[in-house]
Amino acid sequence: MTAPDQPFRTLAGMRDLLPPESGRRRDLVATFAGVVELAGYREVQPPLVEELGVFLRVGEATDVVTKEMYDFEDKDGRRVALRPELTAGVARAFVQHHPQVPWKVWYAGTNFRHERPQKGRYRSFDQVGVEVLGVDDPDLDVEVVALAWESLRRLGLERIRLLVNSIGDHDDRARYVEAVRAFLDSRRGELSEAALATAERNPLRVLDTKRAEDLAVVADAPLIAEHRSAASAAHFERVLLGLDALEIPYELAPRLVRGLDYYRRTTFELVAESLDAAQNAVGGGGRYDGLVEDLGGPPTDGIGFALGVDRILLALEAEGAPEVQPVAVEVFVVDLTDGSSARDLTHELRSAGISADRRFGGGSMRSQMKSADRSGAQWAVLIGADELESGTVTVRDLRSDAPQSPVPRTDLVAELRRRGTTT
Ligand code: HAM
């Protein structure tokens, strides 16, 4: 095979996640896991690829399904797709394994949507989230919304807003869709071409418009509140009461319709004020009471949310969170003999839980010390011919002028611990 004319690069909308930012992502997932595990959620890891049909259940009229799916025929001739989100896969797993309910799970993973890439909108992006299956109790909605809010706060975001709505149950929603369709039809002349096309496929999505010309029309659109049944209204009342009780600040967003079609009753979104309006949703979720049935399971209530890891990191940066510091090793071994000591000592230190690195290929004292400085290590451990002979090593504190001192090689781990390595 010949070399390419140009070096290979990542595809549009896909990024390499490099250190030190990659470490921040891992910390973010760990913090999120801490918050939700405290509430009894356990991790689930559905596969990245499923039968296309699983993902079609997020809504045949949505952009996610009609425009953005990474679907293809696999080598067995099956239509499969890379997951665009995790809720459908989790619901499929529920149907397949029938775990005890309530099934409270969390996840962290990469998703793929063939969107128009821009800052905060990628074709490969990460989410963390939770799902609960098998409970129809508005207090669960409160728990789930509160967890989304708490997680973002614990991750350090300060300028966030929580928008809440209820789009009613299955029948309310169907009535509402018809009311919006009729309304949009009556104002066709004032709507943009794009809005008219969306209205054909999915009238509720027009309510989400950001286009100035359509906003004026949308402002007069019917509200779901006028179409909610008494039961849906009572459910929603109880959710709001719970959020008040937990002192979670929310805003009612009567026109909040989400981009996926499986939602029923409670829906919510979290927006970061520090991000541009087009990509400021750092998370969203809601109930999806019909999804499990659509996937072939028994009637089962479900609710969850997902937070966008990439956008949370952008929002943290925009809010001025301190930059991530590269993680340094504690010890750098400088071997001025044949390298065997560096080989053995780094192994020994790491086995004792002390992080250690070295330079490969030898080099002068000067060049090895340069590598030691660059590594950010606090201590250099030097071994020259004299040390080898006397069975010692020299420990030098790279962050102070303290005199360096010889230490018996067999005491090195104990000496480093005495000096305060993290382990
Ligand atoms: P979603 O609103 O499509 O919901 O995505 C949730 C979050 O993922 C968004 O608020 C955003 O932060 C992030 N996100 C989505 N697309 C992109 C993208 N192209 N680039 C960067 N970030 C993105 C869901 O995915 C539902 N599964 C949430 C849910 C869980 N509902 C119930 N349970």
Side-chain angles (χ1 to χ4, degrees):
M1 214 176 281
T2 52
D5 294 341
Q6 298 285 330
F8 287 117
R9 300 180 59 82
T10 47
L11 296 169
M14 312 243 173
R15 295 146 304 144
D16 295 312
L17 304 168
L18 306 176
E21 281 75 18
S22 47
R24 180 170 255 182
R25 284 170 181 269
R26 204 179 46 184
D27 292 348
L28 186 157
V29 173
T31 303
F32 178 77
V35 173
V36 296
E37 295 223 332
L38 211 57
Y41 292 70
R42 296 294 173 257
E43 189 179 5
V44 61
Q45 296 186 358
L48 268 172
V49 183
E50 302 247 10
E51 262 185 70
L52 176 63
V54 172
F55 302 128
L56 295 184
R57 300 314 192 263
V58 310
E60 306 239 18
T62 61
D63 284 355
V64 171
V65 165
T66 56
K67 299 188 188 155
E68 298 165 1
M69 196 76 82
Y70 274 89
D71 55 332
F72 56 97
E73 194 165 289
D74 76 1
K75 290 192 161 51
D76 303 318
R78 271 179 178 241
R79 279 320 283 179
V80 300
L82 305 186
R83 66 184 181 211
E85 56 110 57
L86 280 125
T87 311
V90 170
R92 195 266 315 131
F94 176 83
V95 174
Q96 184 169 340
H97 304 287
H98 20 85
Q100 264 196 358
V101 296
W103 201 42
K104 294 172 72 166
V105 292
W106 70 269
Y107 49 74
T110 303
N111 306 288
F112 299 86
R113 297 183 193 176
H114 199 273
E115 304 208 53
R116 204 149 50 97
Q118 49 197 293
K119 193 175 178 191
R121 189 175 297 281
Y122 308 106
R123 290 181 175 172
S124 162
F125 61 95
D126 290 349
Q127 288 181 337
V128 291
V130 307
E131 311 293 346
V132 186
L133 288 144
V135 181
D136 177 18
D137 182 334
D139 285 356
L140 172 64
D141 304 36
V142 177
E143 170 173 309
V144 168
V145 176
L147 281 174
W149 176 260
E150 271 317 304
S151 315
L152 290 177
R153 302 287 300 178
R154 283 281 298 281
L155 290 167
L157 280 183
E158 287 174 5
R159 291 169 50 213
I160 41 174
R161 289 162 51 211
L162 167 63
L163 311 178
V164 187
N165 191 18
S166 165
I167 54 170
D169 62 23
H170 177 269
D171 294 343
D172 305 344
R173 189 186 153 109
R175 274 198 308 275
Y176 183 51
V177 169
E178 282 323 307
V180 172
R181 194 192 297 280
F183 166 79
L184 294 174
D185 207 39
S186 72
R187 305 278 294 264
R188 295 186 70 81
E190 298 162 65
L191 289 168
S192 67
E193 281 297 317
L196 287 173
T198 309
E200 275 301 308
R201 282 183 287 119
N202 197 342
L204 294 194
R205 288 302 289 168
V206 179
L207 304 184
D208 244 3
T209 184
K210 303 221 157 65
R211 252 180 242 100
E213 52 193 306
D214 300 323
L215 278 172
V217 179
V218 163
D220 300 334
L223 293 175
I224 179 66
E226 298 152 11
H227 298 266
R228 266 183 224 130
S229 64
S232 306
H235 182 98
F236 193 41
E237 278 296 303
R238 174 82 192 172
V239 174
L240 299 182
L241 195 83
L243 293 176
D244 289 335
L246 302 190
E247 294 180 8
I248 308 278
Y250 62 86
E251 294 166 37
L252 290 178
R255 288 180 213 288
L256 174 73
V257 288
R258 307 243 319 115
L260 310 171
D261 268 356
Y262 48 56
Y263 291 110
R264 307 277 178 267
R265 298 193 279 178
T266 311
T267 49
F268 58 99
E269 211 155 81
L270 294 130
V271 298
E273 288 184 333
S274 57
L275 296 181
D276 289 346
Q279 283 86 235
N280 65 356
V282 287
R287 276 203 170 268
Y288 45 86
D289 297 335
L291 181 61
V292 170
E293 256 176 301
D294 283 351
L295 286 160
T300 308
D301 299 292
I303 180 169
F305 67 80
L307 307 177
V309 171
D310 309 87
R311 289 192 193 168
I312 294 172
L313 294 176
L314 285 174
L316 281 170
E317 198 184 315
E319 284 192 9
E323 279 194 18
V324 254
Q325 296 304 316
V327 182
V329 290
E330 294 168 289
V331 177
F332 198 92
V333 178
V334 172
D335 183 345
L336 301 167
T337 66
D338 73 348
S340 318
S341 296
R343 179 194 63 205
D344 301 345
L345 271 178
T346 46
H347 181 72
E348 195 179 316
L349 291 169
R350 292 167 188 165
S351 304
I354 296 171
S355 59
D357 206 354
R358 54 167 294 188
R359 183 177 150 124
F360 289 95
S364 65
M365 169 85 164
R366 208 177 122 83
S367 61
Q368 291 206 45
M369 284 311 292
K370 230 184 189 170
S371 302
D373 280 334
R374 215 179 295 135
S375 76
Q378 170 142 24
W379 291 284
V381 168
L382 297 91
I383 309 113
D386 291 350
E387 283 88 352
L388 203 59
E389 171 106 30
S390 60
T392 59
V393 294
T394 297
V395 177
R396 186 185 290 181
D397 188 338
L398 296 173
R399 298 201 197 142
S400 83
D401 296 332
Q404 59 188 37
S405 50
V407 175
R409 186 168 165 152
T410 45
D411 293 351
L412 178 61
V413 167
E415 172 63 16
L416 287 169
R417 289 220 170 102
R418 196 183 60 71
R419 289 181 182 221
T421 57
T422 50
T423 41

